[in-house]
């Protein structure tokens, strides 16, 4: 545990001295928090028009609406639901830069060999690197969601809509699915980082992670899926399996020797 | 302390022929010994150090370090050795103090602050302890890397090119620090290209180029290749004086060089008085007498050359 803590402390000490990383960690959550607030504010200004629009929206789009919601509230829920995936994406986007640099970056600066010469185990090293990348993103994600919840009454969002956002689907998405996605993303990025020789290549390949999540977002916008509680629980179940697989793969594929001696 | 038996490392290449970096290396380094590992670039020195520090595994053969077997007790080996790698990278954005603290924790040092402070002071980095390692000169970084290798007080220290790229003053500082370490009874395994450094610091030397070509003390290596030679500087030289000297038991060769006589012999301490007596009796004016010492560089280059010649197919 001491070794894991040391690696986390080391990564944070290095990463947080980098202004670009700090900027990403502050800027992205602010954007992701402001966007749904702006949308809710403007849709809240014209609830009657929103209610009228609801009548033209296909029924499957509004599957998340309940009987107690007015037409306008139902539309607001439909609109804000698109941002749930963005919130879940946040812990994937933020740590990828840190994680993709973690192994290949150390290799490039020649600090990997002395690090691997210490009595640290592969599991400790990877756990430290993964947690160092994932934790800040998860915390930032939770914090911005908290901020979003606190801001909702200030822009006169109804208690029914707030109740939906603070309900099980969103909470599971933010508190459970997001972190699970972060763990998968970070492990994938570290896996890539330990297989390439150039930090830029690691970052570019790791960025591909965003593609399936965007796919999910577009599928929801197109009405192909509606993220309700059942979908969320299924997604979480799938992510648990993906995480277990990624962690197992990461530790078993991480070969100190190849990383140190691989030729280009 | 360090023992290898037919240690071999072959790197398998996908698109090229396999590379045998280390072949059948058998050697032993005793406790407290400073052992120099000399060889040309690409000879497999770093690969050997990596195997002995359990960073990479051997293809065949075996090795024991501090009683632990490579490939079996790797964690124990890493815990009990210190290593200065060929390119000792630091966490550039972090201070010298922070860099060492991280490693002290990874090596499970009990008194982290104490050890970090001790080595920062010993290596003259205390006043710069809060400066980022990235702002250090190459010499300072090398000292910081040496401090990092010593934090957990390892009994065995592997130093890969410890003075490479340093200016003479920094190199001297590092060398005198290694001499201090030797005084503490640590076993030191040095890979170096600096032959004067090896000559000065090492008890024994292994000349290596994928396989061990020679291993002995610097003095014995000289003797093996060149024998011992004494130069008698004379006011004038008469070739008649050569014969009686040649006739002395133990004298291998006598050759006149300008106004000097160069005598190869087994035991100068025994033979020099006899030769001086003969020369004086013959009427020679001896200006001074000195032993001709071949540099380790001569020994090294000659050994490598002979080894290459042997490998050239007839």
């Amino acid at each position: 545990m001491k070794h894991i803590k040391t690696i986390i402390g080391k990564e944070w000490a290095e990463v947080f001295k980098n202004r670009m990383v700090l900027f990403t960690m502050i800027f992205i959550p602010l954007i992701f928090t402001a966007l749904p607030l702006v949308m809710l504010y403007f849709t809240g200004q014209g609830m009657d028009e929103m209610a009228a629009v609801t009548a033209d929206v296909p029924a499957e789009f509004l599957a998340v609406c309940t009987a107690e919601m007015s037409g306008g509230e139902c539309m607001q829920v439909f609109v804000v639901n698109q941002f749930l995936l963005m919130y879940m994406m946040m812990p994937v986007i933020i740590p990828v830069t840190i994680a993709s640099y973690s192994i290949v970056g150390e290799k490039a600066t020649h600090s990997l060999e002395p690090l691997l010469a210490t009595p640290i185990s592969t599991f400790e090293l990877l756990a430290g690197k993964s947690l160092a990348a994932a934790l800040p993103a998860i915390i930032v994600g939770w914090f911005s969601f908290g901020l979003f919840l606190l801001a909702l009454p200030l822009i006169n969002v109804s208690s029914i809509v707030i109740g939906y956002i603070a309900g099980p689907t969103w909470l599971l998405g933010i508190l459970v699915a997001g972190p699970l996605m972060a763990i998968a993303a970070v492990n994938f990025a570290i896996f890539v980082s330990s297989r390439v020789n150039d930090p830029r290549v690691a970052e570019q390949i790791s960025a591909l992670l965003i593609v399936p999540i965007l796919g999910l977002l577009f599928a929801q916008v197109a009405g192909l899926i509606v993220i309700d509680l059942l979908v969320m629980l299924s997604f979480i179940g799938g992510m648990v399996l993906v995480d277990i697989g990624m962690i197992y793969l990461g530790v078993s594929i991480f070969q100190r020797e190849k990383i140190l001696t691989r030729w280009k | 302390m360090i023992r290898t038996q037919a240690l071999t490392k072959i790197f398998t290449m996908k698109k090229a022929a396999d590379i045998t970096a280390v072949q059948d290396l058998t050697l032993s380094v005793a406790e407290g010994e400073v052992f120099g590992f000399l060889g040309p670039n690409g000879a497999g020195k770093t690969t050997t150090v990596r195997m002995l520090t359990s960073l990479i595994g051997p293809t065949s053969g075996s090795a024991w370090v501090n009683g632990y077997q490579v490939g079996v007790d790797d964690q124990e080996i890493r815990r009990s050795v210190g290593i200065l790698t060929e390119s000792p990278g630091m966490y550039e954005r972090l201070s010298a103090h922070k860099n060492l603290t991280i490693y002290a924790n990874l090596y499970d040092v009990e008194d982290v602050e104490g050890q970090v402070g001790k080595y920062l002071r010993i290596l003259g980095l205390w006043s710069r302890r809060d400066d980022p390692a990235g702002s250090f000169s190459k010499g300072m970084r090398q000292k910081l890397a040496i401090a990092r290798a010593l934090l957990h007080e390892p009994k065995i220290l592997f130093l890969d090119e410890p003075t490479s790229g340093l200016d003479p003053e920094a190199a001297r500082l590092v060398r005198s620090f290694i001499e201090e370490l030797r005084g503490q009874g640590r076993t030191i395994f040095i890979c170096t290209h600096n032959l004067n450094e090896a000559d000065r610091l090492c008890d024994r030397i292994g000349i290596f180029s994928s396989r061990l070509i020679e291993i002995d003390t610097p003095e014995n290596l000289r003797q093996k290749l060149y024998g011992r030679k004494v130069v008698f500087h004379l006011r004038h030289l008469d070739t008649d004086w050569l014969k009686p000297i040649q006739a002395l038991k133990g004298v291998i060769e006598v050759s006149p060089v300008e106004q000097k006589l160069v005598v190869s012999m087994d035991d100068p301490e025994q033979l020099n008085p006899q030769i001086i007596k003969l020369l004086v009796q013959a009427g020679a004016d001896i200006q001074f007498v000195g032993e001709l010492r071949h540099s380790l560089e001569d020994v090294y280059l000659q050994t490598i050359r002979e080894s290459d010649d042997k490998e050239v197919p007839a």
Side-chain angles (χ1 to χ4, degrees):
Chain A
M1 197 62 194
K2 188 183 167 192
H3 291 169
I4 296 176
K5 269 183 170 164
T6 304
I7 294 294
I8 294 174
K10 189 275 286 180
E11 294 284 314
W12 286 355
E14 273 211 300
V15 159
F16 294 134
K17 279 197 161 65
N18 186 333
R19 282 182 190 167
M20 273 312 288
V21 174
L22 271 181
F23 176 75
T24 313
M25 290 194 69
I26 295 165
F27 187 71
I28 292 177
L30 280 180
I31 291 279
F32 280 24
T33 306
L35 275 176
L37 285 173
V38 170
M39 289 296 284
L40 284 170
Y41 175 76
F42 283 111
T43 51
Q45 298 300 303
M47 287 299 263
D48 295 338
E49 291 92 328
M50 290 293 288
V53 172
T54 313
D56 301 328
V57 174
E60 61 266 30
F61 276 48
L62 305 173
V64 290
C65 297
T66 56
E68 59 187 346
M69 288 180 189
S70 67
E73 285 168 339
C74 188
M75 264 318 277
Q76 274 196 315
V77 163
F78 169 71
V79 169
V80 83
N81 232 18
Q82 311 307 321
F83 291 93
L84 171 58
L85 273 172
M86 283 180 71
Y87 265 108
M88 286 162 63
M89 263 196 309
M90 210 186 314
V92 175
I93 298 168
I94 294 174
V96 161
T97 316
I98 305 171
S100 58
Y101 190 76
S102 63
I103 302 293
V104 69
E106 294 237 25
K107 192 178 174 184
T109 55
H110 303 290
S111 57
L112 186 62
E113 191 170 353
L115 178 64
L116 292 178
T118 67
I120 191 167
S121 69
T122 300
F123 174 76
E124 288 170 330
L125 178 66
L126 294 182
K129 295 260 182 196
S130 304
L131 290 171
L135 283 178
I138 292 169
I139 291 166
V140 164
W142 289 351
F143 181 76
S144 39
F145 178 64
L147 215 62
F148 173 62
L149 278 182
L150 288 175
L152 288 174
L154 304 177
I155 55 166
N156 297 321
V157 175
S158 74
S159 57
I160 292 175
V161 175
I162 294 177
Y164 174 78
I165 294 169
T169 307
W170 270 70
L171 288 182
L172 280 172
I174 306 294
L175 299 178
V176 183
L180 287 172
M181 285 166 74
I183 291 168
V186 160
N187 277 285
F188 175 74
I190 290 176
F191 166 72
V192 171
S193 184
S194 62
R195 310 292 288 184
V196 298
N197 282 322
D198 189 333
R200 289 165 298 185
V201 176
E203 213 171 314
Q204 281 167 2
I205 296 176
S206 302
L208 292 175
L209 263 176
I210 215 74
V211 174
I213 304 165
L214 283 176
L216 214 59
L217 186 69
F218 293 136
Q220 191 184 231
V221 172
L224 297 173
I225 55 159
V226 175
I227 297 183
D228 56 11
L229 190 59
L230 187 67
V231 170
M232 185 57 76
L233 285 171
S234 312
F235 182 74
I236 287 171
M239 282 313 298
V240 168
L241 294 177
V242 169
D243 281 0
I244 292 170
M246 289 299 293
I247 292 168
Y248 175 77
L249 200 72
V251 174
S252 57
I253 284 181
F254 187 88
Q255 288 171 318
R256 290 166 182 250
E257 179 165 338
K258 276 201 173 157
I259 292 169
L260 284 178
T261 60
R262 189 188 296 123
W263 284 271
K264 282 182 184 176
Chain B
M1 268 278 153
I2 301 171
R3 192 157 60 85
T4 69
Q5 185 63 49
L7 195 67
T8 300
K9 181 71 191 178
I10 300 168
F11 290 108
T12 314
M13 311 296 283
K14 275 183 187 163
K15 292 175 185 168
D18 291 353
I19 295 172
T20 304
V22 178
Q23 190 178 0
D24 288 329
L25 175 64
T26 299
L27 62 79
S28 64
V29 179
E31 189 171 351
E33 187 177 3
V34 179
F35 184 80
F37 208 45
L38 309 185
N41 288 332
K45 303 186 298 293
T46 299
T47 301
T48 305
V49 168
R50 282 176 170 173
M51 282 195 281
L52 295 177
T53 51
S54 283
L55 277 164
I56 62 174
T59 307
S60 64
S62 39
W64 291 263
V65 177
N66 202 21
Y68 300 114
Q69 189 172 358
V70 170
V72 178
D73 314 304
D74 291 336
Q75 289 289 84
E76 285 76 9
I77 289 175
R78 289 187 200 123
R79 206 177 291 280
S80 64
V81 305
I83 178 171
L84 171 74
T85 53
E86 195 178 0
S87 310
M90 292 288 156
Y91 300 121
E92 310 264 309
R93 288 195 172 101
L94 307 185
S95 69
H97 186 276
K98 182 75 183 168
N99 264 282
L100 294 189
T101 304
I102 289 164
Y103 277 87
N105 281 316
L106 291 175
Y107 278 112
D108 299 317
V109 170
E110 279 183 18
D111 178 14
V112 172
E113 273 303 309
Q115 284 296 96
V116 168
K118 174 183 162 183
Y119 281 105
L120 281 172
R121 284 190 180 89
I122 287 177
L123 285 149
L125 298 169
W126 180 250
S127 61
R128 299 282 307 269
R129 64 188 177 282
D130 294 325
D131 293 350
S135 69
F136 282 12
S137 67
K138 192 158 187 198
M140 290 168 77
R141 290 158 73 95
Q142 194 77 341
K143 285 197 277 181
L144 189 59
I146 292 174
R148 176 172 67 187
L150 287 164
L151 284 168
H152 56 302
E153 304 291 356
K155 285 183 181 170
I156 305 173
L157 200 55
F158 289 90
L159 306 174
D160 199 352
E161 306 288 353
T163 56
S164 161
L166 300 187
D167 64 53
E169 199 184 339
R172 200 169 76 172
L173 242 152
V174 169
R175 266 198 298 275
S176 54
F177 187 66
I178 296 170
E179 274 169 347
E180 258 178 59
L181 293 174
R182 172 203 217 161
Q184 294 166 8
R186 294 184 208 256
T187 307
I188 305 175
F189 191 102
I190 308 179
C191 294
T192 182
H193 281 124
N194 187 328
L195 301 166
N196 286 332
E197 180 176 287
D199 205 0
R200 240 176 75 183
L201 294 172
C202 300
D203 299 312
R204 277 192 314 146
I205 277 165
I207 299 178
F208 182 79
S209 183
S210 294
R211 56 191 177 78
L212 194 60
I213 302 165
E214 279 288 353
I215 181 168
D216 216 324
T217 62
E219 212 43 62
N220 286 347
L221 286 174
R222 278 192 190 92
Q223 221 167 314
K224 267 187 207 168
L225 269 183
Y226 299 104
R228 291 182 74 182
K229 289 181 181 172
V230 177
V231 187
F232 296 84
H233 295 254
L234 309 171
R235 190 177 295 278
H236 66 94
L237 177 65
D238 188 336
T239 47
D240 290 346
W241 302 339
L242 270 66
K243 245 185 185 171
I245 296 170
Q246 186 75 70
L248 286 173
K249 196 180 169 193
V251 170
I252 299 161
E253 192 187 359
V254 183
S255 31
V257 181
E258 295 167 354
Q259 299 302 311
K260 291 170 278 196
L261 266 183
V262 181
V263 185
S264 298
M265 60 184 108
D266 293 331
D267 189 359
E269 287 77 11
Q270 283 293 318
L271 284 168
N272 278 352
Q274 294 179 48
I275 296 170
I276 291 167
K277 208 171 173 182
L278 278 174
L279 286 169
V280 171
Q281 279 171 356
D285 289 335
I286 303 171
Q287 290 173 314
F288 56 90
V289 181
E291 185 162 4
L292 183 70
R293 269 175 69 88
H294 281 273
S295 68
L296 191 60
E297 191 175 334
D298 295 331
V299 175
Y300 169 79
L301 291 174
Q302 184 64 25
T303 308
I304 291 286
R305 214 171 290 139
E306 282 176 10
S307 154
D308 288 346
D309 289 347
K310 275 181 204 166
E311 281 174 15
V312 173

